[in-house]
Amino acid sequence: MAASAVSADVPEPAAAPARHPWLVLAALTFVYVLNFLDRQLLGILAKPIQDSLGVTDGQLGLIGGLYFAMFYCFIAIPVGWFADRTNRVNVLSLACAIWSGATTACGLAGSYSQLVVARMAVGFGEAGGVPPSYAIITDTYPPGKRAAAIGIFNLGPAIGAAIGVAFGAAIADAFDWRMPFIVIGIVGIVTAVLIWLFIREPARGALDPVQTGTGLGKAAFWPTVRMFVTHPILMLAALGSGATQFVTYGLGNFAVLFLMREKGMVLGEVAIWYALVLLLGMGGGMVISGRVIDRMTRTSRAGYAIAPAASLAVAMPFYIAFVWASSWPLALVLLAVVMTFNYFYLSASVALVQEEVKPNQRVLSGALLLLVMNFIGLGLGPTWVGQASDWFRAHGDAHGLQSALYTLTPFYLLAIALFLWLARLLRREGPNPVQVPA
């Protein structure tokens, strides 16, 4: 039987929660901060990297999108299967060490090809970061508190991006673009050792209802994959998230370059004001979304889909206004609203998938969710924007990057439609999840 949905009458868990779950959550969130910080440095330092290595917008989109995603998305699948059968904390620690070492290598790259190889290695390591963390959190917090916990965990991208902007831009402005990669890579290696020493592996399914959280062996790989890709609720959550990430990553990888090139910001201003927008906008959205989703799903599981659909409908007109804005202060005010509402999908989709599957399928299912949504969003979003920018500029558009960002707007509509479809299925299913085949 699948894990029970969050509802007012959730059955008693098979075991008591951990004594200090917030310590585990804080540690995992810090690792996620490093994970996203490493990933975002390329976009934050895009202009000095372009000046140093002669990289075009299209090449930048490929290295931050498709090349990175080929490793990040697909390696996550065997890593998820392995973590479901072994110690998830050890997998997380090793992954953190790998991506941090590769981040240091990015700072030592002397050519575009060397930077490509180093970024692929970062993607290889980061593939083992998020899926094990989702499963550890789910086995640390009981139903009814998971979306809020995942919402706090998902502050990692906001904090990581904000620190990356503030730290990366400030250090690059004072020294050069290589130093932030080297310093943050070293911090990540030390963190990996501390995670391995001090975080303990929670029991799988111990906090799920007694009838679903106990007596489960190791989940088989292909039956779990088959279950995921043939399960309409799981696939719609992944596709809706992918369409959303097409926008968020397409924008995120080029936002700093856009603000500097089109709106007149300099690195010193980016380090302060853009960092604040990320921290308050994206961070606030992550915290609010988790609590809103937990509240909405107490009465209807359709809240997992209605919340992101509604939030994206609010964000879309502000996104268009952001791209149009005539000055960077106005653009940042509009972007803060966009960031607040762009990320409701993440806590909703992750919590839904983790609730929908068996406890021994959670890491692999989380990896499959990330595969679909990140290959679409992370892999294709920045690639699309970079190639579109080069195309517009080659055809005489002096504001090619601005025109390229406008082309992301239809993906808001696609994501909203997919989440509304998901809401319809969840209403039809009723308060309890469907049976998930073994």
Side-chain angles (χ1 to χ4, degrees):
M1 180 181 294
S4 298
V6 179
S7 61
D9 56 349
V10 172
E12 289 297 319
R19 290 184 61 186
H20 300 293
W22 61 273
L23 287 174
V24 176
L25 181 59
L28 296 180
T29 302
F30 182 71
V31 174
Y32 199 12
V33 167
L34 293 176
N35 180 297
F36 209 82
L37 201 165
D38 292 349
R39 194 184 314 171
Q40 292 299 299
L41 280 179
L42 185 71
I44 294 163
L45 303 174
K47 192 173 188 307
I49 290 173
Q50 284 187 325
D51 294 341
S52 174
L53 300 181
V55 179
T56 68
D57 286 358
Q59 289 175 317
L60 195 68
L62 284 169
I63 196 173
L66 187 61
Y67 294 160
F68 181 89
M70 283 191 302
F71 280 80
Y72 180 72
C73 296
F74 290 101
I75 296 299
I77 304 306
V79 168
W81 173 80
F82 181 73
D84 268 330
R85 304 169 71 86
T86 58
N87 188 297
R88 295 164 293 187
V89 173
N90 289 348
V91 171
L92 175 63
S93 174
L94 178 61
C96 183
I98 292 172
W99 86 60
S100 298
T103 297
T104 300
C106 289
L108 302 176
S111 66
Y112 176 70
S113 59
Q114 291 176 4
L115 188 59
V116 168
V117 173
R119 292 304 291 174
M120 286 181 170
V122 173
F124 178 88
E126 289 189 4
V130 179
S133 297
Y134 283 150
I136 293 168
I137 291 170
T138 303
D139 284 331
T140 301
Y141 285 84
K145 296 183 178 180
R146 287 172 177 164
I150 290 172
I152 293 172
F153 174 72
N154 284 333
L155 282 171
I159 298 172
I163 293 175
V165 170
F167 174 82
I171 297 300
D173 194 35
F175 298 96
D176 62 27
W177 65 267
R178 299 178 184 278
M179 189 60 66
F181 286 100
I182 295 171
V183 172
I184 292 168
I186 293 171
V187 171
I189 292 171
V190 174
T191 300
V193 175
L194 295 176
I195 291 293
W196 179 71
L197 289 174
F198 295 109
I199 300 298
R200 295 293 174 260
E201 173 80 353
R204 287 174 170 82
L207 301 183
D208 290 290
V210 175
Q211 66 270 27
T212 64
T214 59
L216 293 172
K218 296 177 179 179
F221 179 81
W222 287 114
T224 301
V225 174
R226 191 180 307 113
M227 173 276 298
F228 190 97
V229 300
T230 58
H231 197 308
I233 286 177
L234 300 181
M235 283 304 297
L236 277 174
L239 291 172
S241 299
T244 307
Q245 286 199 165
F246 197 97
V247 176
T248 59
Y249 276 113
L251 169 62
N253 276 42
F254 285 92
V256 173
L257 184 60
F258 175 68
L259 289 167
M260 294 180 70
R261 181 189 294 172
E262 301 286 347
K263 307 300 182 184
M265 293 188 78
V266 297
L267 272 177
E269 293 167 338
V270 167
I272 298 172
W273 300 111
Y274 182 63
L276 284 174
V277 167
L278 288 173
L279 184 62
L280 299 178
M282 189 191 301
M286 293 294 188
V287 173
I288 293 169
S289 66
R291 296 188 179 278
V292 167
I293 292 161
D294 270 340
R295 182 175 295 274
M296 291 179 68
T297 53
R298 287 171 188 164
T299 56
S300 172
R301 296 180 71 237
Y304 284 123
I306 293 172
S311 68
L312 291 172
V314 173
M316 184 173 64
F318 286 93
Y319 171 76
I320 296 171
F322 156 74
V323 179
W324 163 86
S326 57
S327 65
W328 68 259
L330 176 59
L332 287 183
V333 171
L334 295 166
L335 184 60
V337 180
V338 174
M339 291 290 185
T340 300
F341 290 99
N342 260 3
Y343 291 92
F344 273 53
Y345 80 94
L346 191 55
S347 297
S349 295
V350 170
L352 175 59
V353 169
Q354 295 291 299
E355 295 280 352
E356 191 76 16
V357 304
K358 295 178 182 179
N360 62 344
Q361 296 174 321
R362 281 175 174 154
V363 182
L364 181 53
S365 294
L368 288 164
L369 171 67
L370 293 177
L371 167 64
V372 176
M373 70 182 190
N374 282 330
F375 187 78
I376 295 171
L378 174 59
L380 302 181
T383 303
W384 170 276
V385 173
Q387 296 297 322
S389 176
D390 283 353
W391 187 89
F392 282 120
R393 293 179 71 183
H395 287 76
D397 187 347
H399 304 282
L401 184 54
Q402 182 178 40
S403 299
L405 290 177
Y406 275 126
T407 67
L408 294 177
T409 306
F411 291 92
Y412 270 109
L413 299 174
L414 176 59
I416 291 168
L418 289 168
F419 280 120
L420 290 176
W421 187 2
L422 175 60
R424 183 179 179 184
L425 290 185
L426 289 171
R427 285 196 187 98
R428 184 184 303 168
E429 182 185 86
N432 296 314
V434 298
Q435 298 291 324
V436 179

